[in-house]
PDB file of all heavy atoms in Angstrom:
ATOM      1  N   ILE A  12     136.396  55.078-109.267  1.00  0.00           N
ATOM      2  CA  ILE A  12     135.896  53.720-109.000  1.00  0.00           C
ATOM      3  C   ILE A  12     134.775  53.352-109.969  1.00  0.00           C
ATOM      4  O   ILE A  12     134.060  52.378-109.761  1.00  0.00           O
ATOM      5  CB  ILE A  12     135.436  53.556-107.528  1.00  0.00           C
ATOM      6  CG1 ILE A  12     134.257  54.471-107.201  1.00  0.00           C
ATOM      7  CG2 ILE A  12     136.586  53.742-106.567  1.00  0.00           C
ATOM      8  CD1 ILE A  12     133.575  54.156-105.878  1.00  0.00           C
ATOM      9  N   LEU A  13     134.605  54.140-111.012  1.00  0.00           N
ATOM     10  CA  LEU A  13     133.573  53.928-112.032  1.00  0.00           C
ATOM     11  C   LEU A  13     132.171  53.962-111.431  1.00  0.00           C
ATOM     12  O   LEU A  13     131.275  53.215-111.821  1.00  0.00           O
ATOM     13  CB  LEU A  13     133.806  52.615-112.792  1.00  0.00           C
ATOM     14  CG  LEU A  13     135.187  52.457-113.431  1.00  0.00           C
ATOM     15  CD1 LEU A  13     135.277  51.142-114.177  1.00  0.00           C
ATOM     16  CD2 LEU A  13     135.515  53.608-114.357  1.00  0.00           C
ATOM     17  N   LEU A  14     131.974  54.868-110.472  1.00  0.00           N
ATOM     18  CA  LEU A  14     130.675  55.059-109.837  1.00  0.00           C
ATOM     19  C   LEU A  14     129.644  55.389-110.909  1.00  0.00           C
ATOM     20  O   LEU A  14     129.881  56.233-111.771  1.00  0.00           O
ATOM     21  CB  LEU A  14     130.767  56.202-108.827  1.00  0.00           C
ATOM     22  CG  LEU A  14     129.639  56.393-107.853  1.00  0.00           C
ATOM     23  CD1 LEU A  14     129.537  55.187-106.916  1.00  0.00           C
ATOM     24  CD2 LEU A  14     129.857  57.649-107.043  1.00  0.00           C
ATOM     25  N   GLU A  15     128.515  54.722-110.853  1.00  0.00           N
ATOM     26  CA  GLU A  15     127.464  54.929-111.852  1.00  0.00           C
ATOM     27  C   GLU A  15     126.433  55.923-111.351  1.00  0.00           C
ATOM     28  O   GLU A  15     126.267  56.114-110.150  1.00  0.00           O
ATOM     29  CB  GLU A  15     126.783  53.594-112.156  1.00  0.00           C
ATOM     30  CG  GLU A  15     127.732  52.569-112.739  1.00  0.00           C
ATOM     31  CD  GLU A  15     127.099  51.190-112.870  1.00  0.00           C
ATOM     32  OE1 GLU A  15     126.116  50.898-112.155  1.00  0.00           O
ATOM     33  OE2 GLU A  15     127.608  50.406-113.679  1.00  0.00           O
ATOM     34  N   ASP A  16     125.722  56.538-112.285  1.00  0.00           N
ATOM     35  CA  ASP A  16     124.601  57.390-111.912  1.00  0.00           C
ATOM     36  C   ASP A  16     123.523  56.517-111.275  1.00  0.00           C
ATOM     37  O   ASP A  16     123.306  55.376-111.681  1.00  0.00           O
ATOM     38  CB  ASP A  16     124.018  58.087-113.138  1.00  0.00           C
ATOM     39  CG  ASP A  16     124.939  59.153-113.694  1.00  0.00           C
ATOM     40  OD1 ASP A  16     125.930  59.492-113.027  1.00  0.00           O
ATOM     41  OD2 ASP A  16     124.674  59.636-114.799  1.00  0.00           O
ATOM     42  N   VAL A  17     122.845  57.054-110.275  1.00  0.00           N
ATOM     43  CA  VAL A  17     121.799  56.319-109.564  1.00  0.00           C
ATOM     44  C   VAL A  17     120.467  57.013-109.836  1.00  0.00           C
ATOM     45  O   VAL A  17     120.351  58.216-109.630  1.00  0.00           O
ATOM     46  CB  VAL A  17     122.086  56.294-108.042  1.00  0.00           C
ATOM     47  CG1 VAL A  17     120.974  55.598-107.283  1.00  0.00           C
ATOM     48  CG2 VAL A  17     123.418  55.631-107.772  1.00  0.00           C
ATOM     49  N   PRO A  18     119.462  56.277-110.295  1.00  0.00           N
ATOM     50  CA  PRO A  18     118.155  56.904-110.521  1.00  0.00           C
ATOM     51  C   PRO A  18     117.595  57.492-109.223  1.00  0.00           C
ATOM     52  O   PRO A  18     117.671  56.854-108.173  1.00  0.00           O
ATOM     53  CB  PRO A  18     117.273  55.749-111.008  1.00  0.00           C
ATOM     54  CG  PRO A  18     118.215  54.680-111.439  1.00  0.00           C
ATOM     55  CD  PRO A  18     119.476  54.859-110.627  1.00  0.00           C
ATOM     56  N   VAL A  19     117.062  58.690-109.312  1.00  0.00           N
ATOM     57  CA  VAL A  19     116.482  59.369-108.146  1.00  0.00           C
ATOM     58  C   VAL A  19     115.042  59.734-108.495  1.00  0.00           C
ATOM     59  O   VAL A  19     114.793  60.427-109.471  1.00  0.00           O
ATOM     60  CB  VAL A  19     117.287  60.641-107.783  1.00  0.00           C
ATOM     61  CG1 VAL A  19     116.640  61.365-106.629  1.00  0.00           C
ATOM     62  CG2 VAL A  19     118.731  60.295-107.483  1.00  0.00           C
ATOM     63  N   SER A  20     114.112  59.264-107.686  1.00  0.00           N
ATOM     64  CA  SER A  20     112.699  59.552-107.958  1.00  0.00           C
ATOM     65  C   SER A  20     112.396  61.022-107.662  1.00  0.00           C
ATOM     66  O   SER A  20     113.091  61.653-106.862  1.00  0.00           O
ATOM     67  CB  SER A  20     111.809  58.649-107.104  1.00  0.00           C
ATOM     68  OG  SER A  20     111.960  58.985-105.748  1.00  0.00           O
ATOM     69  N   PRO A  21     111.362  61.571-108.284  1.00  0.00           N
ATOM     70  CA  PRO A  21     111.018  62.977-108.047  1.00  0.00           C
ATOM     71  C   PRO A  21     110.781  63.300-106.576  1.00  0.00           C
ATOM     72  O   PRO A  21     111.107  64.383-106.114  1.00  0.00           O
ATOM     73  CB  PRO A  21     109.730  63.166-108.858  1.00  0.00           C
ATOM     74  CG  PRO A  21     109.812  62.152-109.934  1.00  0.00           C
ATOM     75  CD  PRO A  21     110.509  60.963-109.314  1.00  0.00           C
ATOM     76  N   GLU A  22     110.250  62.348-105.794  1.00  0.00           N
ATOM     77  CA  GLU A  22     109.982  62.594-104.378  1.00  0.00           C
ATOM     78  C   GLU A  22     111.266  62.799-103.578  1.00  0.00           C
ATOM     79  O   GLU A  22     111.268  63.430-102.530  1.00  0.00           O
ATOM     80  CB  GLU A  22     109.226  61.429-103.728  1.00  0.00           C
ATOM     81  CG  GLU A  22     107.963  61.000-104.428  1.00  0.00           C
ATOM     82  CD  GLU A  22     108.232  60.062-105.607  1.00  0.00           C
ATOM     83  OE1 GLU A  22     108.889  59.034-105.454  1.00  0.00           O
ATOM     84  OE2 GLU A  22     107.758  60.411-106.697  1.00  0.00           O
ATOM     85  N   LEU A  23     112.372  62.228-104.056  1.00  0.00           N
ATOM     86  CA  LEU A  23     113.637  62.304-103.323  1.00  0.00           C
ATOM     87  C   LEU A  23     114.591  63.371-103.839  1.00  0.00           C
ATOM     88  O   LEU A  23     115.647  63.581-103.254  1.00  0.00           O
ATOM     89  CB  LEU A  23     114.348  60.935-103.375  1.00  0.00           C
ATOM     90  CG  LEU A  23     113.636  59.783-102.693  1.00  0.00           C
ATOM     91  CD1 LEU A  23     114.399  58.485-102.907  1.00  0.00           C
ATOM     92  CD2 LEU A  23     113.467  60.066-101.215  1.00  0.00           C
ATOM     93  N   CYS A  24     114.232  64.044-104.910  1.00  0.00           N
ATOM     94  CA  CYS A  24     115.186  64.985-105.501  1.00  0.00           C
ATOM     95  C   CYS A  24     115.528  66.117-104.529  1.00  0.00           C
ATOM     96  O   CYS A  24     114.692  66.571-103.761  1.00  0.00           O
ATOM     97  CB  CYS A  24     114.698  65.510-106.836  1.00  0.00           C
ATOM     98  SG  CYS A  24     113.424  66.763-106.776  1.00  0.00           S
ATOM     99  N   ARG A  25     116.789  66.514-104.553  1.00  0.00           N
ATOM    100  CA  ARG A  25     117.302  67.581-103.686  1.00  0.00           C
ATOM    101  C   ARG A  25     117.810  68.771-104.494  1.00  0.00           C
ATOM    102  O   ARG A  25     117.957  69.865-103.989  1.00  0.00           O
ATOM    103  CB  ARG A  25     118.450  67.059-102.819  1.00  0.00           C
ATOM    104  CG  ARG A  25     118.089  65.876-101.942  1.00  0.00           C
ATOM    105  CD  ARG A  25     117.173  66.330-100.803  1.00  0.00           C
ATOM    106  NE  ARG A  25     116.851  65.232 -99.912  1.00  0.00           N
ATOM    107  CZ  ARG A  25     115.697  64.581 -99.920  1.00  0.00           C
ATOM    108  NH1 ARG A  25     114.764  64.892-100.775  1.00  0.00           N
ATOM    109  NH2 ARG A  25     115.470  63.624 -99.067  1.00  0.00           N
ATOM    110  N   ASP A  26     118.114  68.541-105.730  1.00  0.00           N
ATOM    111  CA  ASP A  26     118.675  69.565-106.600  1.00  0.00           C
ATOM    112  C   ASP A  26     117.582  70.548-107.040  1.00  0.00           C
ATOM    113  O   ASP A  26     116.543  70.127-107.540  1.00  0.00           O
ATOM    114  CB  ASP A  26     119.294  68.878-107.821  1.00  0.00           C
ATOM    115  CG  ASP A  26     119.905  69.848-108.814  1.00  0.00           C
ATOM    116  OD1 ASP A  26     120.057  71.041-108.494  1.00  0.00           O
ATOM    117  OD2 ASP A  26     120.252  69.406-109.923  1.00  0.00           O
ATOM    118  N   PRO A  27     117.785  71.852-106.864  1.00  0.00           N
ATOM    119  CA  PRO A  27     116.786  72.830-107.295  1.00  0.00           C
ATOM    120  C   PRO A  27     116.385  72.694-108.762  1.00  0.00           C
ATOM    121  O   PRO A  27     115.271  73.037-109.129  1.00  0.00           O
ATOM    122  CB  PRO A  27     117.474  74.176-107.051  1.00  0.00           C
ATOM    123  CG  PRO A  27     118.458  73.901-105.966  1.00  0.00           C
ATOM    124  CD  PRO A  27     118.921  72.487-106.201  1.00  0.00           C
ATOM    125  N   ARG A  28     117.283  72.157-109.594  1.00  0.00           N
ATOM    126  CA  ARG A  28     116.936  71.964-111.003  1.00  0.00           C
ATOM    127  C   ARG A  28     115.759  71.006-111.170  1.00  0.00           C
ATOM    128  O   ARG A  28     115.030  71.088-112.131  1.00  0.00           O
ATOM    129  CB  ARG A  28     118.119  71.426-111.797  1.00  0.00           C
ATOM    130  CG  ARG A  28     119.173  72.432-112.056  1.00  0.00           C
ATOM    131  CD  ARG A  28     120.215  71.815-112.966  1.00  0.00           C
ATOM    132  NE  ARG A  28     121.268  72.754-113.237  1.00  0.00           N
ATOM    133  CZ  ARG A  28     122.268  72.512-114.048  1.00  0.00           C
ATOM    134  NH1 ARG A  28     122.355  71.347-114.673  1.00  0.00           N
ATOM    135  NH2 ARG A  28     123.199  73.409-114.251  1.00  0.00           N
ATOM    136  N   CYS A  29     115.606  70.070-110.277  1.00  0.00           N
ATOM    137  CA  CYS A  29     114.490  69.131-110.431  1.00  0.00           C
ATOM    138  C   CYS A  29     113.272  69.570-109.633  1.00  0.00           C
ATOM    139  O   CYS A  29     112.178  69.108-109.891  1.00  0.00           O
ATOM    140  CB  CYS A  29     114.915  67.704-110.124  1.00  0.00           C
ATOM    141  SG  CYS A  29     114.738  67.152-108.445  1.00  0.00           S
ATOM    142  N   TRP A  30     113.406  70.489-108.676  1.00  0.00           N
ATOM    143  CA  TRP A  30     112.246  70.962-107.920  1.00  0.00           C
ATOM    144  C   TRP A  30     111.201  71.569-108.843  1.00  0.00           C
ATOM    145  O   TRP A  30     110.018  71.380-108.661  1.00  0.00           O
ATOM    146  CB  TRP A  30     112.640  71.996-106.887  1.00  0.00           C
ATOM    147  CG  TRP A  30     113.501  71.487-105.795  1.00  0.00           C
ATOM    148  CD1 TRP A  30     113.717  70.181-105.446  1.00  0.00           C
ATOM    149  CD2 TRP A  30     114.276  72.267-104.901  1.00  0.00           C
ATOM    150  NE1 TRP A  30     114.589  70.106-104.394  1.00  0.00           N
ATOM    151  CE2 TRP A  30     114.951  71.375-104.038  1.00  0.00           C
ATOM    152  CE3 TRP A  30     114.484  73.625-104.745  1.00  0.00           C
ATOM    153  CZ2 TRP A  30     115.802  71.805-103.034  1.00  0.00           C
ATOM    154  CZ3 TRP A  30     115.327  74.053-103.746  1.00  0.00           C
ATOM    155  CH2 TRP A  30     115.975  73.157-102.895  1.00  0.00           C
ATOM    156  N   ALA A  31     111.663  72.310-109.813  1.00  0.00           N
ATOM    157  CA  ALA A  31     110.749  72.981-110.729  1.00  0.00           C
ATOM    158  C   ALA A  31     110.060  71.985-111.654  1.00  0.00           C
ATOM    159  O   ALA A  31     109.059  72.312-112.278  1.00  0.00           O
ATOM    160  CB  ALA A  31     111.505  74.011-111.552  1.00  0.00           C
ATOM    161  N   ASN A  32     110.593  70.785-111.728  1.00  0.00           N
ATOM    162  CA  ASN A  32     110.057  69.796-112.655  1.00  0.00           C
ATOM    163  C   ASN A  32     109.686  68.510-111.910  1.00  0.00           C
ATOM    164  O   ASN A  32     109.984  67.425-112.368  1.00  0.00           O
ATOM    165  CB  ASN A  32     111.084  69.514-113.752  1.00  0.00           C
ATOM    166  CG  ASN A  32     110.502  68.697-114.876  1.00  0.00           C
ATOM    167  OD1 ASN A  32     109.298  68.619-115.036  1.00  0.00           O
ATOM    168  ND2 ASN A  32     111.364  68.075-115.650  1.00  0.00           N
ATOM    169  N   LYS A  33     109.041  68.622-110.766  1.00  0.00           N
ATOM    170  CA  LYS A  33     108.700  67.444-109.959  1.00  0.00           C
ATOM    171  C   LYS A  33     107.813  66.454-110.722  1.00  0.00           C
ATOM    172  O   LYS A  33     107.810  65.279-110.426  1.00  0.00           O
ATOM    173  CB  LYS A  33     107.990  67.849-108.675  1.00  0.00           C
ATOM    174  CG  LYS A  33     108.893  68.436-107.642  1.00  0.00           C
ATOM    175  CD  LYS A  33     109.285  67.379-106.666  1.00  0.00           C
ATOM    176  CE  LYS A  33     109.982  68.021-105.475  1.00  0.00           C
ATOM    177  NZ  LYS A  33     110.318  67.097-104.461  1.00  0.00           N
ATOM    178  N   ARG A  34     107.058  66.936-111.684  1.00  0.00           N
ATOM    179  CA  ARG A  34     106.197  66.031-112.437  1.00  0.00           C
ATOM    180  C   ARG A  34     106.990  65.248-113.482  1.00  0.00           C
ATOM    181  O   ARG A  34     106.533  64.241-113.982  1.00  0.00           O
ATOM    182  CB  ARG A  34     105.082  66.825-113.114  1.00  0.00           C
ATOM    183  CG  ARG A  34     104.085  67.399-112.146  1.00  0.00           C
ATOM    184  CD  ARG A  34     102.974  68.138-112.861  1.00  0.00           C
ATOM    185  NE  ARG A  34     103.465  69.165-113.782  1.00  0.00           N
ATOM    186  CZ  ARG A  34     103.803  70.408-113.443  1.00  0.00           C
ATOM    187  NH1 ARG A  34     103.700  70.777-112.181  1.00  0.00           N
ATOM    188  NH2 ARG A  34     104.209  71.266-114.332  1.00  0.00           N
ATOM    189  N   GLY A  35     108.172  65.722-113.796  1.00  0.00           N
ATOM    190  CA  GLY A  35     108.991  65.055-114.807  1.00  0.00           C
ATOM    191  C   GLY A  35     109.874  63.985-114.203  1.00  0.00           C
ATOM    192  O   GLY A  35     109.671  63.543-113.078  1.00  0.00           O
ATOM    193  N   ASN A  36     110.858  63.573-114.940  1.00  0.00           N
ATOM    194  CA  ASN A  36     111.789  62.550-114.485  1.00  0.00           C
ATOM    195  C   ASN A  36     112.965  63.225-113.799  1.00  0.00           C
ATOM    196  O   ASN A  36     113.804  63.833-114.444  1.00  0.00           O
ATOM    197  CB  ASN A  36     112.255  61.717-115.680  1.00  0.00           C
ATOM    198  CG  ASN A  36     113.145  60.581-115.267  1.00  0.00           C
ATOM    199  OD1 ASN A  36     113.694  60.556-114.167  1.00  0.00           O
ATOM    200  ND2 ASN A  36     113.301  59.627-116.152  1.00  0.00           N
TER     201      ASN A  36
END
Side-chain angles (χ1 to χ4, degrees):
I12 63 168
L13 305 181
L14 192 64
E15 298 172 338
D16 289 349
V17 177
V19 177
S20 67
E22 307 82 54
L23 296 176
C24 77
R25 302 288 182 258
D26 180 11
R28 286 186 181 183
C29 91
W30 294 344
N32 190 19
K33 285 263 191 176
R34 291 182 306 276
N36 184 342

